[in-house]
């Protein structure tokens, strides 16, 4: 039997449910006079973000560059122009990120409201980060729980949030000007610093100032090398040190790698390192500006002195499409323990082959990633490479599946198949931690999904989409939701798994409908209905009918909605699916409420709530109760209706369901206005509008 997916979004309002934040209503007790006021405080504001990268203790020179950046900044602020936008560009490995990080840390006092950082992945195998992904990251840093589905709405919300803030934003590894524009804050009191290998001259029209970062001069390169290797280590070999720096073409990355290699071999003279880097001195004249040939030599030399286990992990990580790694991923891909992975990661960090960018988070420099992948394809057989990638895919699939079971335990999970099962513990223990893992790893999950599809691992691909369901349902990343289900649908069809195909159609249709792509959602539900009937799957047939009914409600076709929803009820009653019957009755109650048939609405919502409580579904039972309270208020029984809506509001507040908090507050506001309490109505609607700002800007504008 397929795992039917029911969405809680079909209302006469909007379509987004909230992310998990705990904050509750305040009820004043003892003597209560006049109207009842439910005061729901806004979610506590998170601390101002402080995301700038740390600066290496070996940061060297760049005095002129730091002064130049100071001048650019002071000229823009003195001119009272729009917020400064500074682009630092230059070749790979030249130290753009280090320079920007060092300079910004000298100016943090000027930006007390927040310092944000994002890696735009301009030159990675998985492709550049989308503006939607980064906007979501930034808005969440300021406490916005749920994102709009449209890029223009996200950018508008971002500008509104930052209009009066003094913040600095560092956008690292940018690829195009188009990546940057939606990420510019709204007010004049901010600063944006962009780093890129490309010049990004298109940002001229946005008022950008440019600083091209060049390679180190000889003196600075020597200083950096000596700091890394130690003065005692290079004593008496200054000429050889200069030769090594020259062979590194002044690239700080190459110099650091060369010094790390020397430090790892205490008995080796600097001249031997220079000889290792120069198998053919004649090639230096043809060295390109990017210095890739020299970096390749430095990377080869650093790789050569790794221990066999660290070299094995280095190659394995180079095969993965994800932008960062943690200890569990490293352990899974090599079928080892987390302790083993931690030791090897430490060695790779010490050798400057891997960057430690946060708690249990590591990444390759772009060129190092290419080198690691090349080493893997040169050393490992094609079968070995596939096995390593499959291990990573299985790890993400298993972990996402465990998250799914914690977050949505009432919904059935389709069977899972693993080529390489693992017993590694998952990195969370409750549903909140599981949702956090899904959210922070969503780009990884999508990268693994795309890899699975490209490699023809069809079962792994659709199973991964199925496991990501709580991420889509709770956090509403519409672009990822829709892309994933297009991939999953193709994979299920290629896998000839008809049950999975129906699951992908149903789950994908919910996402399309939630993103207000109703016509396309209707097509997916219709395809699911045909497939369910061909398979004789009554539960999936009911799910498709429920979805079609919801689409009809959105389009205002109430007669068509009642027809399909009644059919869903009969279908689910025949197969004993109590929860599905109750969910269909909620929608039938909404139709009755819209048509002013209050007795029928009360009956539908009462039956729905009883059915949902019977199957231990408190969230959807609270939805039915909120609508039941609204129906009672519409009959003039304001005391009963208000009490029921307040009870539902408490459930949504404790679970962090921001969208349904807003919907219930809006119902309370409408009811207060109808009984003549305009003050209470304004209070309720203002609170609803504040919550809608984070979950549904369209509804916020409607209430405004």
């Amino acid at each position: 039997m397929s795992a039917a997916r029911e969405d809680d979004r079909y209302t006469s309002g909007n379509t987004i449910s909230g992310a998990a934040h705990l904050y509750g209503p305040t009820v004043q007790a003892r003597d209560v006079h006049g109207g009842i006021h439910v005061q729901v405080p806004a979610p506590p504001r998170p601390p101002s973000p402080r995301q700038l990268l740390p600066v290496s203790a070996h940061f060297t020179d760049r005095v002129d560059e730091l002064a130049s950046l100071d001048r650019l900044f002071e000229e823009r602020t003195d001119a009272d122009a729009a917020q400064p936008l500074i682009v630092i560009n230059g070749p790979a490995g030249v130290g753009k990120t280090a320079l920007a990080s060092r300079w910004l840390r000298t100016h943090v006092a000027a930006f007390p409201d927040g310092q944000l950082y994002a890696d735009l992945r301009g030159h990675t195998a998985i492709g550049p980060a989308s503006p939607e992904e980064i906007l979501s990251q930034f808005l969440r840093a300021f406490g916005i729980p749920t994102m709009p589905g449209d890029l223009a709405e996200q950018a508008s919300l971002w500008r509104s949030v930052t209009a009066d803030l003094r913040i600095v934003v560092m956008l690292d590894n940018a690829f195009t000007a188009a990546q940057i524009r939606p990420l510019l804050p709204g007010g004049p009191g901010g600063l944006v610093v962009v780093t890129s290998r490309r010049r990004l001259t298109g940002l001229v029209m946005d008022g950008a100032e440019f600083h091209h970062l060049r390679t180190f001069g000889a003196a600075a390169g020597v200083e950096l090398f000596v700091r890394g290797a130690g003065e005692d280590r290079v004593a008496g070999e200054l000429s050889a040190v200069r030769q090594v720096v020259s062979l590194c073409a002044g690239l700080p990355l190459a110099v650091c790698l060369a010094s790390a290699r020397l430090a790892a071999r205490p008995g080796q003279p600097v001249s031997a390192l220079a000889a290792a880097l120069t198998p053919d001195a004649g090639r230096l004249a043809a060295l390109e500006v990017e210095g890739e040939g020299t970096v390749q030599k430095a990377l080869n030399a650093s790789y050569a002195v790794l221990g066999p286990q660290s070299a094995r992990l280095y190659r394995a990580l180079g095969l993965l499409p994800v932008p960062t790694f943690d200890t569990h991923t490293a352990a899974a891909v090599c079928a080892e323990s987390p302790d083993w992975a931690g030791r090897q990661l430490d060695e790779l960090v010490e050798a400057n082959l891997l960057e430690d960018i946060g708690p249990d988070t590591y990444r390759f420099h772009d060129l190092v990633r290419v080198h690691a992948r090349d080493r893997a394809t040169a050393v490992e057989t094609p079968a070995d490479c596939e096995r390593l990638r499959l291990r990573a895919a299985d790890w993400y699939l298993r972990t996402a599946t465990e998250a799914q079971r914690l977050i949505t335990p009432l919904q059935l999970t389709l069977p899972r198949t693993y080529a390489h099962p693992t017993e590694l513990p998952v990195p969370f223990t409750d549903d909140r931690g599981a949702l956090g893992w899904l959210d922070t790893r969503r780009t990884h999950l999508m990268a693994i999904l795309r890899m699975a599809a490209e490699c023809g691992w069809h079962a792994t691909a659709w199973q991964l989409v199925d496991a990501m369901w709580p991420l889509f349902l709770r956090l509403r990343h519409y672009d990822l939701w829709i892309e994933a289900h297009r991939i999953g649908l193709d994979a299920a069809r290629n896998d000839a798994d008809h049950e999975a195909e129906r699951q992908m159609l149903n789950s994908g249709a919910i996402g399309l409908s939630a993103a207000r792509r109703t016509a396309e959602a209707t097509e997916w539900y219709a395809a699911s209905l045909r497939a369910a009937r061909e398979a004789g799957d009554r539960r999936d047939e009911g799910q498709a009918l429920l979805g079609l009914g919801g689409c009809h409600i959105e389009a205002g076709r109430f007669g068509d909605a009642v027809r399909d929803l009644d059919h869903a009820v009969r279908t689910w009653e025949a197969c004993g699916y109590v929860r599905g019957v109750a969910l269909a009755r909620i929608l039938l109650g909404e139709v009755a409420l819209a048509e002013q048939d209050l007795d029928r609405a009360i009956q539908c919502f009462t039956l729905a709530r009883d059915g949902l409580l019977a199957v231990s579904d408190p969230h959807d039972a609270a939805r039915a109760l909120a609508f039941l309270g609204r129906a009672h208020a519409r009959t003039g029984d304001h005391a009963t209706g208000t009490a029921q809506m307040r009870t539902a509001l408490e459930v949504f507040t404790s679970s962090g369901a921001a969208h349904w908090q807003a919907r219930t507050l809006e119902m309370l506001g409408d009811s207060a206005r109808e009984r003549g309490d305009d003050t209470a109505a304004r209070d309720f609607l203002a609170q609803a509008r504040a919550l809608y700002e984070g979950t549904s800007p369209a509804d916020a504008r409607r209430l405004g």
Side-chain angles (χ1 to χ4, degrees), residues 215-498:
T215 56
F216 268 154
V222 168
E223 180 182 353
L224 180 61
F225 184 92
V226 172
R227 285 189 178 188
E231 291 186 4
D232 294 340
R233 187 73 174 79
V234 301
E237 293 194 85
L238 187 57
S239 177
V241 170
R242 293 195 186 100
Q243 184 182 3
V244 169
V245 171
S246 176
L247 290 168
C248 291
L251 285 174
L253 171 64
V255 174
C256 288
L257 292 169
S259 64
R261 178 190 187 276
L262 186 71
R265 305 185 70 170
Q268 183 185 70
V270 182
S271 57
L273 172 60
L277 294 175
T278 320
D280 186 354
R283 296 182 181 179
L284 291 175
L287 191 65
E288 295 182 356
V289 174
E290 287 277 296
E292 292 181 355
T294 297
V295 173
Q296 178 73 27
K297 294 174 185 177
L299 289 168
N300 283 340
S302 296
Y303 171 79
V305 298
L306 289 175
Q309 298 304 316
S310 296
R312 173 185 165 211
L313 177 59
Y314 179 74
R315 296 191 302 270
L317 295 179
L319 291 169
L320 304 187
V322 295
T324 61
F325 317 100
D326 57 23
T327 303
H328 283 79
T329 303
V333 74
C334 289
E336 298 285 356
S337 70
D339 287 343
W340 176 93
R343 292 192 297 272
Q344 312 318 316
L345 289 167
D346 286 344
E347 183 174 341
L348 293 174
V349 170
E350 287 297 317
N352 284 325
L353 289 171
L354 206 60
E355 297 177 77
D356 183 350
I357 61 171
D360 194 28
T361 306
Y362 306 87
R363 71 175 180 185
F364 282 126
H365 182 280
D366 296 345
L367 296 179
V368 180
R369 183 187 300 277
V370 172
H371 181 268
R373 185 184 63 236
D374 289 347
R375 285 293 82 211
T377 55
V379 173
E380 312 288 352
T381 67
D384 290 336
C385 291
E386 181 176 44
R387 182 172 64 254
L388 292 168
R389 291 188 175 107
L390 262 174
R391 283 178 183 160
D394 280 350
W395 159 248
Y396 276 98
L397 173 59
R398 174 177 173 267
T399 308
T401 297
E402 291 303 313
Q404 179 187 28
R405 288 174 177 163
L406 279 171
I407 300 167
T408 54
L410 288 178
Q411 294 180 333
L412 299 177
T413 299
L414 292 179
R416 299 288 185 254
T417 55
Y418 300 102
H420 302 285
T422 175
E423 297 301 322
L424 287 172
V426 296
F428 44 76
T429 57
D430 56 20
D431 58 349
R432 184 175 296 274
L435 188 62
W437 184 89
L438 288 172
D439 191 26
T440 58
R441 301 300 193 282
R442 64 185 184 277
T443 57
H444 299 65
L445 290 162
M446 290 300 297
I448 293 291
L449 171 60
R450 297 181 191 111
M451 179 184 73
E454 291 169 2
C455 293
W457 306 334
H458 304 308
T460 298
W462 68 253
Q463 289 173 28
L464 191 59
V465 177
D466 185 53
M468 293 166 69
W469 171 247
L471 170 69
F472 303 135
L473 182 65
R474 294 288 181 89
L475 301 182
R476 305 283 170 153
H477 298 294
Y478 293 124
D479 52 341
L480 302 185
W481 187 339
I482 294 169
E483 179 193 356
H485 281 83
R486 292 193 193 284
I487 295 172
L489 181 58
D490 286 342
R493 287 171 173 167
N494 287 326
D495 198 34
D497 191 315
H498 301 302

Side-chain angles (χ1 to χ4, degrees), residues 104-145:
L104 287 174
R105 285 193 171 274
T106 67
H107 291 279
V108 291
F111 306 101
D113 297 323
Q115 300 125 37
L116 296 134
Y117 170 86
D119 183 355
L120 302 190
R121 306 196 306 269
H123 298 273
T124 62
I126 64 173
S130 68
E132 292 94 331
E133 175 186 335
I134 304 305
L135 282 172
S136 175
Q137 171 186 326
F138 285 172
L139 287 167
R140 290 182 193 284
F142 282 106
I144 304 300

Side-chain angles (χ1 to χ4, degrees), residues 150-162:
D150 179 70
L151 172 59
E153 285 193 346
Q154 285 187 359
S156 176
L157 179 59
W158 167 239
R159 292 191 296 271
S160 297
V161 168
T162 57

